[in-house]
Amino acid sequence: MAPIPGSGLAKGLAVTLRTMTKKTVTEQYPDVQPDLPPRTRGVIGLFEENCTVCMLCARECPDWCIYIDSHKETIPAAAPGGRERSRNVLDRFAIDFSLCMYCGICIEVCPFDALFWSPEFEYAETDIRDLTHERDKLREWMWTVPAPPALDPGAEEPKEIAAARKTAEKLAATRAEPQEGDS
């Protein structure tokens, strides 16, 4: 059967009329801030106290957009006759957000929880060279990181904690048992 002439036009007009009668969902962005989901990926915040300058984040970054500079500092022995220790001191930590693809690999590989997702997304610059943010700016964004969600009360206990609890219970049971020869 041949299509009725003009049926495509009628279908198109019907879609237009249905859309015109629906309420708009346009947000007036600069005036009204959007309601972001809890795990929004905005920018990366740096908790500098946890950074040990292990360079894992910079090595694993597929875009090579993390720049870290450090130096070694000698710490005197804590006790007399002890050995001096050396530690890395962070001099520069910068992320070039013009190169970053927001994959989150740097956050995942950080063994010391120094990097976090911040929901901040308003960091536009007029010059692309200004998108390299140093550690002071990354630290400011750290304070906007939301608290982690609460643990599910119905979830099963992690294996590590369950094993530690069993060991502690066995140890407590052996200490509570009276020793042979005790009266």
mmCIF file with all atom_site columns, all heavy atoms in Angstrom, residues 9-23:
data_model
loop_
_atom_site.group_PDB
_atom_site.id
_atom_site.type_symbol
_atom_site.label_atom_id
_atom_site.label_alt_id
_atom_site.label_comp_id
_atom_site.label_asym_id
_atom_site.label_entity_id
_atom_site.label_seq_id
_atom_site.pdbx_PDB_ins_code
_atom_site.Cartn_x
_atom_site.Cartn_y
_atom_site.Cartn_z
_atom_site.occupancy
_atom_site.B_iso_or_equiv
_atom_site.pdbx_formal_charge
_atom_site.auth_seq_id
_atom_site.auth_comp_id
_atom_site.auth_asym_id
_atom_site.auth_atom_id
_atom_site.pdbx_PDB_model_num
ATOM 1   N N   . LEU A 1 9  ? 4.683  14.799 6.811  1.00 0.00 ? 9  LEU A N   1
ATOM 2   C CA  . LEU A 1 9  ? 4.530  16.168 7.316  1.00 0.00 ? 9  LEU A CA  1
ATOM 3   C C   . LEU A 1 9  ? 3.614  16.174 8.532  1.00 0.00 ? 9  LEU A C   1
ATOM 4   O O   . LEU A 1 9  ? 3.886  16.837 9.531  1.00 0.00 ? 9  LEU A O   1
ATOM 5   C CB  . LEU A 1 9  ? 3.957  17.066 6.212  1.00 0.00 ? 9  LEU A CB  1
ATOM 6   C CG  . LEU A 1 9  ? 3.679  18.511 6.598  1.00 0.00 ? 9  LEU A CG  1
ATOM 7   C CD1 . LEU A 1 9  ? 4.977  19.209 6.957  1.00 0.00 ? 9  LEU A CD1 1
ATOM 8   C CD2 . LEU A 1 9  ? 2.947  19.223 5.482  1.00 0.00 ? 9  LEU A CD2 1
ATOM 9   N N   . ALA A 1 10 ? 2.552  15.406 8.496  1.00 0.00 ? 10 ALA A N   1
ATOM 10  C CA  . ALA A 1 10 ? 1.609  15.344 9.615  1.00 0.00 ? 10 ALA A CA  1
ATOM 11  C C   . ALA A 1 10 ? 2.281  14.747 10.854 1.00 0.00 ? 10 ALA A C   1
ATOM 12  O O   . ALA A 1 10 ? 2.077  15.235 11.978 1.00 0.00 ? 10 ALA A O   1
ATOM 13  C CB  . ALA A 1 10 ? 0.378  14.521 9.229  1.00 0.00 ? 10 ALA A CB  1
ATOM 14  N N   . LYS A 1 11 ? 3.090  13.693 10.671 1.00 0.00 ? 11 LYS A N   1
ATOM 15  C CA  . LYS A 1 11 ? 3.798  13.092 11.810 1.00 0.00 ? 11 LYS A CA  1
ATOM 16  C C   . LYS A 1 11 ? 4.767  14.102 12.433 1.00 0.00 ? 11 LYS A C   1
ATOM 17  O O   . LYS A 1 11 ? 4.877  14.207 13.657 1.00 0.00 ? 11 LYS A O   1
ATOM 18  C CB  . LYS A 1 11 ? 4.564  11.852 11.376 1.00 0.00 ? 11 LYS A CB  1
ATOM 19  C CG  . LYS A 1 11 ? 3.692  10.655 11.111 1.00 0.00 ? 11 LYS A CG  1
ATOM 20  C CD  . LYS A 1 11 ? 4.552  9.479  10.687 1.00 0.00 ? 11 LYS A CD  1
ATOM 21  C CE  . LYS A 1 11 ? 3.687  8.284  10.313 1.00 0.00 ? 11 LYS A CE  1
ATOM 22  N NZ  . LYS A 1 11 ? 4.518  7.165  9.838  1.00 0.00 ? 11 LYS A NZ  1
ATOM 23  N N   . GLY A 1 12 ? 5.465  14.825 11.591 1.00 0.00 ? 12 GLY A N   1
ATOM 24  C CA  . GLY A 1 12 ? 6.405  15.835 12.079 1.00 0.00 ? 12 GLY A CA  1
ATOM 25  C C   . GLY A 1 12 ? 5.709  16.934 12.852 1.00 0.00 ? 12 GLY A C   1
ATOM 26  O O   . GLY A 1 12 ? 6.192  17.371 13.897 1.00 0.00 ? 12 GLY A O   1
ATOM 27  N N   . LEU A 1 13 ? 4.571  17.397 12.333 1.00 0.00 ? 13 LEU A N   1
ATOM 28  C CA  . LEU A 1 13 ? 3.816  18.433 13.041 1.00 0.00 ? 13 LEU A CA  1
ATOM 29  C C   . LEU A 1 13 ? 3.269  17.910 14.372 1.00 0.00 ? 13 LEU A C   1
ATOM 30  O O   . LEU A 1 13 ? 3.210  18.654 15.358 1.00 0.00 ? 13 LEU A O   1
ATOM 31  C CB  . LEU A 1 13 ? 2.677  18.958 12.156 1.00 0.00 ? 13 LEU A CB  1
ATOM 32  C CG  . LEU A 1 13 ? 3.125  19.852 10.993 1.00 0.00 ? 13 LEU A CG  1
ATOM 33  C CD1 . LEU A 1 13 ? 1.952  20.167 10.078 1.00 0.00 ? 13 LEU A CD1 1
ATOM 34  C CD2 . LEU A 1 13 ? 3.755  21.125 11.512 1.00 0.00 ? 13 LEU A CD2 1
ATOM 35  N N   . ALA A 1 14 ? 2.883  16.631 14.404 1.00 0.00 ? 14 ALA A N   1
ATOM 36  C CA  . ALA A 1 14 ? 2.375  16.048 15.648 1.00 0.00 ? 14 ALA A CA  1
ATOM 37  C C   . ALA A 1 14 ? 3.473  16.019 16.705 1.00 0.00 ? 14 ALA A C   1
ATOM 38  O O   . ALA A 1 14 ? 3.226  16.331 17.878 1.00 0.00 ? 14 ALA A O   1
ATOM 39  C CB  . ALA A 1 14 ? 1.844  14.642 15.383 1.00 0.00 ? 14 ALA A CB  1
ATOM 40  N N   . VAL A 1 15 ? 4.692  15.668 16.318 1.00 0.00 ? 15 VAL A N   1
ATOM 41  C CA  . VAL A 1 15 ? 5.816  15.673 17.258 1.00 0.00 ? 15 VAL A CA  1
ATOM 42  C C   . VAL A 1 15 ? 6.073  17.088 17.762 1.00 0.00 ? 15 VAL A C   1
ATOM 43  O O   . VAL A 1 15 ? 6.283  17.312 18.961 1.00 0.00 ? 15 VAL A O   1
ATOM 44  C CB  . VAL A 1 15 ? 7.082  15.082 16.598 1.00 0.00 ? 15 VAL A CB  1
ATOM 45  C CG1 . VAL A 1 15 ? 8.312  15.314 17.460 1.00 0.00 ? 15 VAL A CG1 1
ATOM 46  C CG2 . VAL A 1 15 ? 6.898  13.609 16.321 1.00 0.00 ? 15 VAL A CG2 1
ATOM 47  N N   . THR A 1 16 ? 6.003  18.060 16.861 1.00 0.00 ? 16 THR A N   1
ATOM 48  C CA  . THR A 1 16 ? 6.231  19.454 17.241 1.00 0.00 ? 16 THR A CA  1
ATOM 49  C C   . THR A 1 16 ? 5.181  19.923 18.235 1.00 0.00 ? 16 THR A C   1
ATOM 50  O O   . THR A 1 16 ? 5.496  20.563 19.234 1.00 0.00 ? 16 THR A O   1
ATOM 51  C CB  . THR A 1 16 ? 6.234  20.353 15.992 1.00 0.00 ? 16 THR A CB  1
ATOM 52  O OG1 . THR A 1 16 ? 7.241  19.894 15.098 1.00 0.00 ? 16 THR A OG1 1
ATOM 53  C CG2 . THR A 1 16 ? 6.491  21.806 16.353 1.00 0.00 ? 16 THR A CG2 1
ATOM 54  N N   . LEU A 1 17 ? 3.927  19.588 17.986 1.00 0.00 ? 17 LEU A N   1
ATOM 55  C CA  . LEU A 1 17 ? 2.853  20.002 18.884 1.00 0.00 ? 17 LEU A CA  1
ATOM 56  C C   . LEU A 1 17 ? 2.982  19.337 20.254 1.00 0.00 ? 17 LEU A C   1
ATOM 57  O O   . LEU A 1 17 ? 2.759  19.976 21.285 1.00 0.00 ? 17 LEU A O   1
ATOM 58  C CB  . LEU A 1 17 ? 1.486  19.686 18.264 1.00 0.00 ? 17 LEU A CB  1
ATOM 59  C CG  . LEU A 1 17 ? 1.089  20.586 17.091 1.00 0.00 ? 17 LEU A CG  1
ATOM 60  C CD1 . LEU A 1 17 ? -0.170 20.068 16.434 1.00 0.00 ? 17 LEU A CD1 1
ATOM 61  C CD2 . LEU A 1 17 ? 0.907  22.011 17.567 1.00 0.00 ? 17 LEU A CD2 1
ATOM 62  N N   . ARG A 1 18 ? 3.369  18.057 20.301 1.00 0.00 ? 18 ARG A N   1
ATOM 63  C CA  . ARG A 1 18 ? 3.551  17.381 21.580 1.00 0.00 ? 18 ARG A CA  1
ATOM 64  C C   . ARG A 1 18 ? 4.682  18.033 22.379 1.00 0.00 ? 18 ARG A C   1
ATOM 65  O O   . ARG A 1 18 ? 4.584  18.230 23.585 1.00 0.00 ? 18 ARG A O   1
ATOM 66  C CB  . ARG A 1 18 ? 3.890  15.899 21.362 1.00 0.00 ? 18 ARG A CB  1
ATOM 67  C CG  . ARG A 1 18 ? 2.684  15.007 21.305 1.00 0.00 ? 18 ARG A CG  1
ATOM 68  C CD  . ARG A 1 18 ? 3.066  13.534 21.457 1.00 0.00 ? 18 ARG A CD  1
ATOM 69  N NE  . ARG A 1 18 ? 4.163  13.078 20.640 1.00 0.00 ? 18 ARG A NE  1
ATOM 70  C CZ  . ARG A 1 18 ? 4.041  12.559 19.407 1.00 0.00 ? 18 ARG A CZ  1
ATOM 71  N NH1 . ARG A 1 18 ? 2.859  12.419 18.864 1.00 0.00 ? 18 ARG A NH1 1
ATOM 72  N NH2 . ARG A 1 18 ? 5.100  12.174 18.744 1.00 0.00 ? 18 ARG A NH2 1
ATOM 73  N N   . THR A 1 19 ? 5.755  18.385 21.698 1.00 0.00 ? 19 THR A N   1
ATOM 74  C CA  . THR A 1 19 ? 6.900  19.004 22.360 1.00 0.00 ? 19 THR A CA  1
ATOM 75  C C   . THR A 1 19 ? 6.548  20.402 22.862 1.00 0.00 ? 19 THR A C   1
ATOM 76  O O   . THR A 1 19 ? 6.986  20.802 23.940 1.00 0.00 ? 19 THR A O   1
ATOM 77  C CB  . THR A 1 19 ? 8.097  19.068 21.395 1.00 0.00 ? 19 THR A CB  1
ATOM 78  O OG1 . THR A 1 19 ? 8.362  17.758 20.908 1.00 0.00 ? 19 THR A OG1 1
ATOM 79  C CG2 . THR A 1 19 ? 9.337  19.601 22.088 1.00 0.00 ? 19 THR A CG2 1
ATOM 80  N N   . MET A 1 20 ? 5.755  21.121 22.112 1.00 0.00 ? 20 MET A N   1
ATOM 81  C CA  . MET A 1 20 ? 5.377  22.487 22.508 1.00 0.00 ? 20 MET A CA  1
ATOM 82  C C   . MET A 1 20 ? 4.525  22.500 23.774 1.00 0.00 ? 20 MET A C   1
ATOM 83  O O   . MET A 1 20 ? 4.565  23.463 24.538 1.00 0.00 ? 20 MET A O   1
ATOM 84  C CB  . MET A 1 20 ? 4.611  23.178 21.377 1.00 0.00 ? 20 MET A CB  1
ATOM 85  C CG  . MET A 1 20 ? 5.504  23.641 20.255 1.00 0.00 ? 20 MET A CG  1
ATOM 86  S SD  . MET A 1 20 ? 4.604  24.347 18.874 1.00 0.00 ? 20 MET A SD  1
ATOM 87  C CE  . MET A 1 20 ? 3.575  25.550 19.630 1.00 0.00 ? 20 MET A CE  1
ATOM 88  N N   . THR A 1 21 ? 3.767  21.441 24.000 1.00 0.00 ? 21 THR A N   1
ATOM 89  C CA  . THR A 1 21 ? 2.883  21.424 25.166 1.00 0.00 ? 21 THR A CA  1
ATOM 90  C C   . THR A 1 21 ? 3.590  20.937 26.425 1.00 0.00 ? 21 THR A C   1
ATOM 91  O O   . THR A 1 21 ? 3.045  21.078 27.516 1.00 0.00 ? 21 THR A O   1
ATOM 92  C CB  . THR A 1 21 ? 1.655  20.520 24.891 1.00 0.00 ? 21 THR A CB  1
ATOM 93  O OG1 . THR A 1 21 ? 2.111  19.202 24.591 1.00 0.00 ? 21 THR A OG1 1
ATOM 94  C CG2 . THR A 1 21 ? 0.838  21.067 23.738 1.00 0.00 ? 21 THR A CG2 1
ATOM 95  N N   . LYS A 1 22 ? 4.756  20.353 26.319 1.00 0.00 ? 22 LYS A N   1
ATOM 96  C CA  . LYS A 1 22 ? 5.493  19.880 27.496 1.00 0.00 ? 22 LYS A CA  1
ATOM 97  C C   . LYS A 1 22 ? 6.189  21.043 28.184 1.00 0.00 ? 22 LYS A C   1
ATOM 98  O O   . LYS A 1 22 ? 6.573  22.027 27.564 1.00 0.00 ? 22 LYS A O   1
ATOM 99  C CB  . LYS A 1 22 ? 6.539  18.838 27.098 1.00 0.00 ? 22 LYS A CB  1
ATOM 100 C CG  . LYS A 1 22 ? 5.958  17.520 26.687 1.00 0.00 ? 22 LYS A CG  1
ATOM 101 C CD  . LYS A 1 22 ? 7.059  16.539 26.410 1.00 0.00 ? 22 LYS A CD  1
ATOM 102 C CE  . LYS A 1 22 ? 6.468  15.205 25.982 1.00 0.00 ? 22 LYS A CE  1
ATOM 103 N NZ  . LYS A 1 22 ? 7.527  14.266 25.634 1.00 0.00 ? 22 LYS A NZ  1
ATOM 104 N N   . LYS A 1 23 ? 6.403  20.876 29.504 1.00 0.00 ? 23 LYS A N   1
ATOM 105 C CA  . LYS A 1 23 ? 7.115  21.883 30.277 1.00 0.00 ? 23 LYS A CA  1
ATOM 106 C C   . LYS A 1 23 ? 8.597  21.853 29.893 1.00 0.00 ? 23 LYS A C   1
ATOM 107 O O   . LYS A 1 23 ? 9.179  20.790 29.742 1.00 0.00 ? 23 LYS A O   1
ATOM 108 C CB  . LYS A 1 23 ? 6.962  21.560 31.765 1.00 0.00 ? 23 LYS A CB  1
ATOM 109 C CG  . LYS A 1 23 ? 7.534  22.618 32.658 1.00 0.00 ? 23 LYS A CG  1
ATOM 110 C CD  . LYS A 1 23 ? 7.291  22.286 34.112 1.00 0.00 ? 23 LYS A CD  1
ATOM 111 C CE  . LYS A 1 23 ? 7.735  23.445 34.944 1.00 0.00 ? 23 LYS A CE  1
ATOM 112 N NZ  . LYS A 1 23 ? 8.734  23.195 35.886 1.00 0.00 ? 23 LYS A NZ  1
#
